[in-house]
Amino acid sequence: MTLQEQTSRYSELEKRKWLVRVLMVIAVGCVLGAKVYFTIYLVDPLVGIYSILTSFVLLCVLVLSYFKYKDPYLDAKNVDISNGPLISIVVPAKNEDKNIRNCVQSCLNQTYRNKEIIVVNDGSTDGTGEVLDEMRKENRTDDLRILHLSKSVGKKKAVEAASEIARGEIYAFMDSDCDMAIDAVEKAAKIFHNDRKLGALTCHGSVRSALRGNTMEKFQQVYIDISCRSIKAAESSFKSVTCCSGSLSFYRRVAIQDFIHDWANDRFLGMDFKFCTDRRMTAHILGTRTTLDTLGNKKQHEHMPILQTGDDDIETMKKSLDPDAEFSNRPIKWNVEYSNSVKVNVGVPKTFGSVARQQIRWKKSFIRSLFATGGIYWKRPSFIALLYYVQTAMKLIRPYVLFYTIAILPIKGDFISVLFWIAGIMFTGMIYAVEYRLRNPDDGLWLYRPPFTFITTFVYTWLLIYSAITIRNKSWR
């Protein structure tokens, strides 16, 4: 097959994909209209109205992610970054001896050269510290800095410790069980250089071992993929992503530096709140205006307990902070975006129990973020704000609607409304399954999306109530 024939075939396949997407939007619109009719004339009003809102949100997400979202890298890919900003890659790690080498090596392998890597060993009790010291000896470079905390202080405070010595204009925060694509930092640098109002950038995640992994890993792959490419893309079309993922996200230093201490020492209901690391930080950027002349004026706080090991001298690091900054008295309303081109492989829990515990942590973060994101998101563009508040309200009332549908309506003998509800869940799952397959035609994991939609509805829904009841429990595992 000639190159011209290959190009023509590729173009034809892309056209077919877009035809399928248009048909999907039309189908969701038709189902939405049908739901309105059934709600008026046939099914229980509560079930009908909730189901209408579900299809309304689905329709909005599809339309925005298909027709309004544009990957910010497309406008930035030709940007010259030969003199690009210094980027500080920060990796907090605790008891990750099986993953930390792969994670740090992906940072060292980056095509972008103007970077520093700060790995914070958060009081690990396994071999994490030894692995990091070995890597420090293997890589005699000023780009890699290792901090050993003498006791565990938690992820947020570990990041704060790194911020005390970081010199970069841009922060890259990455979880220690993840590894980034070799060009991730370079692409992010171009995007930030191209948009001076960009406060934060989140990336596209994929489960590292999904294809050869177990069922739980496959479920999480279809969930993470759709969460990024559909939901975050829809929010990004208004430059208002509500949660920058902990797996890998980039932040402009001036947008968060003065907030890091408050974020690391967040209190909720009169106690230290360990969770909500990502949503709380994102909410700060979404809701604040910052003048660039605040850079370097951060308050001095008590330093983290650091053990000086290897060749890394902490005081020398602090004295080497770059004093250069751009100054302006004009407040900036920051953009928060998602890039489909900046990739990261994500490590995920492999058992149902560990996934459930992760979901509980995330739902506690969601509850906490109601007072952060919820209190400021009305300042963002009105349509995406409306969509956010509708989705938030739906999450809060979903446990009651689910109980009403599966427990009360059968007692009343209203099985039509129950079947109507189940059919709606299946339809939503199938739409997302087709969307996944259009972008990942070869892996076959799209089949996992419909059953996963039932799991999120009939299992994960109840975890919100449990998370609210146990929100004072700070146990991580």
Side-chain angles (χ1 to χ4, degrees):
M1 184 181 294
T2 66
L3 179 60
Q4 183 177 3
E5 289 173 333
Q6 289 177 337
T7 303
S8 177
R9 183 172 180 272
Y10 177 79
S11 299
E12 183 63 28
L13 288 173
E14 287 301 306
K15 289 179 181 178
R16 290 179 182 177
K17 289 180 180 180
W18 277 105
L19 175 60
V20 173
R21 289 188 172 105
V22 170
L23 292 175
M24 287 166 59
V25 170
I26 293 174
V28 174
C30 291
V31 167
L32 177 59
K35 286 183 175 181
V36 173
Y37 175 83
F38 284 125
T39 300
I40 295 173
Y41 294 105
L42 189 61
V43 301
D44 182 89
L46 175 61
V47 174
I49 292 172
Y50 191 91
S51 190
I52 288 171
L53 291 175
T54 300
S55 290
F56 169 74
V57 169
L58 177 60
L59 180 63
C60 291
V61 167
L62 293 180
V63 170
L64 293 176
S65 62
Y66 289 166
F67 306 116
K68 184 172 173 57
Y69 170 71
K70 183 179 182 182
D71 187 343
Y73 179 68
L74 297 179
D75 290 332
K77 60 183 178 181
N78 295 321
V79 169
D80 180 14
I81 52 168
S82 54
N83 295 312
L86 176 65
I87 295 184
S88 298
I89 304 172
V90 176
V91 181
K94 180 180 179 182
N95 295 341
E96 289 285 0
D97 58 355
K98 293 181 175 59
N99 296 308
I100 193 62
R101 177 174 288 275
N102 183 53
C103 173
V104 175
Q105 194 61 52
S106 75
C107 300
L108 290 166
N109 292 343
Q110 288 300 299
T111 56
Y112 190 72
R113 298 305 176 193
N114 192 20
K115 65 182 183 299
E116 63 176 2
I117 303 157
I118 304 174
V119 187
V120 185
N121 174 23
D122 182 28
S124 296
T125 56
D126 65 357
T128 299
E130 288 76 6
V131 173
L132 290 173
D133 285 339
E134 288 176 7
M135 296 195 73
R136 185 69 180 88
K137 293 177 181 178
E138 295 166 3
N139 298 273
R140 292 291 180 177
T141 171
D142 292 336
D143 291 347
L144 178 61
R145 302 175 174 191
I146 308 296
L147 302 186
H148 294 282
L149 304 189
S150 58
K151 63 179 181 179
S152 177
V153 295
K155 176 180 176 180
K156 292 188 289 188
K157 292 184 179 180
V159 170
E160 182 187 11
S163 73
E164 292 184 2
I165 63 169
R167 297 175 293 123
E169 180 185 332
I170 308 296
Y171 285 124
F173 295 158
M174 183 168 71
D175 285 344
S176 53
D177 59 353
C178 301
D179 59 275
M180 66 177 89
I182 193 170
D183 58 357
V185 175
E186 179 179 346
K187 288 180 175 178
K190 289 184 175 183
I191 295 170
F192 273 93
H193 194 275
N194 192 57
D195 183 0
R196 305 305 293 176
K197 293 184 178 180
L198 182 63
L201 177 75
T202 194
C203 311
H204 186 85
S206 298
V207 174
R208 182 188 304 114
S209 56
L211 291 178
R212 62 181 183 277
N214 61 24
T215 300
M216 293 309 301
E217 291 171 287
K218 290 178 170 60
F219 279 151
Q220 290 172 91
Q221 165 62 14
V222 295
Y223 167 75
I224 291 173
D225 183 88
I226 291 297
S227 176
C228 290
R229 186 55 187 87
S230 295
I231 298 172
K232 290 187 188 300
E235 295 174 338
S236 186
S237 65
F238 288 91
K239 303 184 186 299
S240 301
V241 174
T242 56
C243 182
C244 290
S245 301
S247 53
L248 176 63
S249 291
F250 296 80
Y251 299 88
R252 196 176 295 277
R253 179 192 184 101
V254 70
I256 65 169
Q257 187 66 48
D258 289 341
F259 179 66
I260 288 179
H261 179 75
D262 293 336
W263 168 75
N265 295 273
D266 185 31
R267 296 185 64 81
F268 182 62
L269 299 178
M271 65 177 185
D272 290 333
F273 195 76
K274 292 180 61 176
F275 313 114
C276 203
T277 57
D278 310 320
R279 293 180 183 273
R280 188 83 171 89
M281 181 68 78
T282 309
H284 170 75
I285 299 173
L286 288 169
T288 59
R289 293 175 180 263
T290 309
T291 54
L292 296 180
D293 60 4
T294 59
L295 182 58
N297 293 334
K298 69 172 184 174
K299 301 175 182 177
Q300 295 299 314
H301 302 290
E302 182 180 355
H303 299 312
M304 295 296 105
I306 297 172
L307 295 178
Q308 298 183 22
T309 63
D311 299 327
D312 297 318
D313 182 79
I314 306 304
E315 293 306 318
T316 300
M317 291 182 190
K318 291 177 180 177
K319 292 175 183 177
S320 67
L321 296 180
D322 186 358
D324 296 332
E326 50 187 328
F327 294 93
S328 171
N329 290 321
R330 184 177 62 184
I332 293 176
K333 182 178 181 180
W334 297 112
N335 298 330
V336 182
E337 298 192 59
Y338 151 80
S339 174
N340 185 51
S341 298
V342 184
K343 310 283 189 181
V344 61
N345 292 319
V346 183
V348 297
K350 298 182 180 181
T351 65
F352 178 79
S354 56
V355 171
R357 288 188 289 273
Q358 181 189 66
Q359 285 290 322
I360 290 169
R361 295 196 301 270
W362 287 356
K363 291 184 186 305
K364 289 181 179 180
S365 296
F366 164 73
I367 294 170
R368 174 66 180 93
S369 72
L370 291 176
F371 300 87
T373 308
I376 56 89
Y377 208 70
W378 58 271
K379 299 178 182 179
R380 308 306 294 189
S382 57
F383 184 80
I384 198 66
L386 171 65
L387 194 59
Y388 165 79
Y389 288 116
V390 168
Q391 292 181 87
T392 300
M394 291 174 66
K395 289 178 182 178
L396 293 175
I397 67 172
R398 183 180 297 159
Y400 174 75
V401 175
L402 179 58
F403 175 78
Y404 180 77
T405 304
I406 65 177
I408 304 301
L409 289 182
I411 295 175
K412 292 182 175 181
D414 187 357
F415 296 102
I416 293 178
S417 295
V418 176
L419 292 175
F420 175 83
W421 169 269
I422 294 175
I425 297 171
M426 177 61 74
F427 176 76
T428 299
M430 287 303 301
I431 288 292
Y432 279 134
V434 173
E435 163 57 19
Y436 181 91
R437 191 176 191 281
L438 288 173
R439 290 181 292 99
N440 306 276
D442 300 323
D443 67 16
L445 297 184
W446 65 276
L447 292 169
Y448 287 82
R449 181 64 207 200
F452 183 73
T453 303
F454 277 90
I455 292 175
T456 58
T457 301
F458 290 99
V459 179
Y460 287 4
T461 294
W462 305 114
L463 296 180
L464 181 64
I465 296 177
Y466 179 81
S467 300
I469 295 172
T470 62
I471 198 164
R472 287 182 174 274
N473 182 356
K474 296 184 285 185
S475 175
W476 191 258
R477 300 181 184 278

